[in-house]
Amino acid sequence: KTNLSVPQLAFLFKLLHEIKPEIFQVPTNAELFRFISQNFTTKKSSADGISTKKLADLFREPDRNAQQFWLDIITNWYTDKKKFK
């Protein structure tokens, strides 16, 4: 269970998936979406879990609020040198 929203979770995995060299060894995005769906729940996800279709949609067209959420966190990490000591 995570306190992230589905769009925030999807964008986090999108960021991680795009890192080179790759950190996920999955042959297709569909497999990654199934992994996320089967292993994560959010406050608003249904009993069936997170929809793989919703994840695919969010990978293709990320939510702007989710992007801003992660940008703020990454910016804070970068500028707050105390966190890296």
Side-chain angles (χ1 to χ4, degrees):
K1 178 131 184 138
T2 180
N3 289 324
L4 297 173
S5 67
V6 172
Q8 291 167 342
L9 183 64
F11 194 68
L12 172 62
F13 272 89
K14 180 175 177 58
L15 289 171
L16 293 173
H17 185 61
E18 292 180 356
I19 291 173
K20 300 295 181 209
E22 295 176 353
I23 61 172
F24 298 123
Q25 293 182 331
V26 291
T28 65
N29 283 351
E31 187 174 322
L32 180 58
F33 303 151
R34 281 191 298 276
F35 170 80
I36 297 167
S37 177
Q38 292 170 357
N39 290 284
F40 291 89
T41 58
T42 66
K43 292 177 185 177
K44 294 185 179 181
S45 58
S46 70
D48 295 332
I50 300 168
S51 161
T52 56
K53 181 184 180 324
K54 178 74 172 174
L55 291 168
D57 291 344
L58 288 166
F59 259 58
R60 192 172 37 261
E61 215 170 304
D63 177 85
R64 288 194 181 273
N65 291 332
Q67 291 178 38
Q68 188 62 53
F69 174 82
W70 289 111
L71 177 61
D72 291 346
I73 289 173
I74 292 167
T75 300
N76 286 339
W77 283 343
Y78 184 76
T79 59
D80 187 359
K81 294 180 178 132
K82 292 182 286 185
K83 293 187 186 233
F84 291 102
K85 290 184 180 180

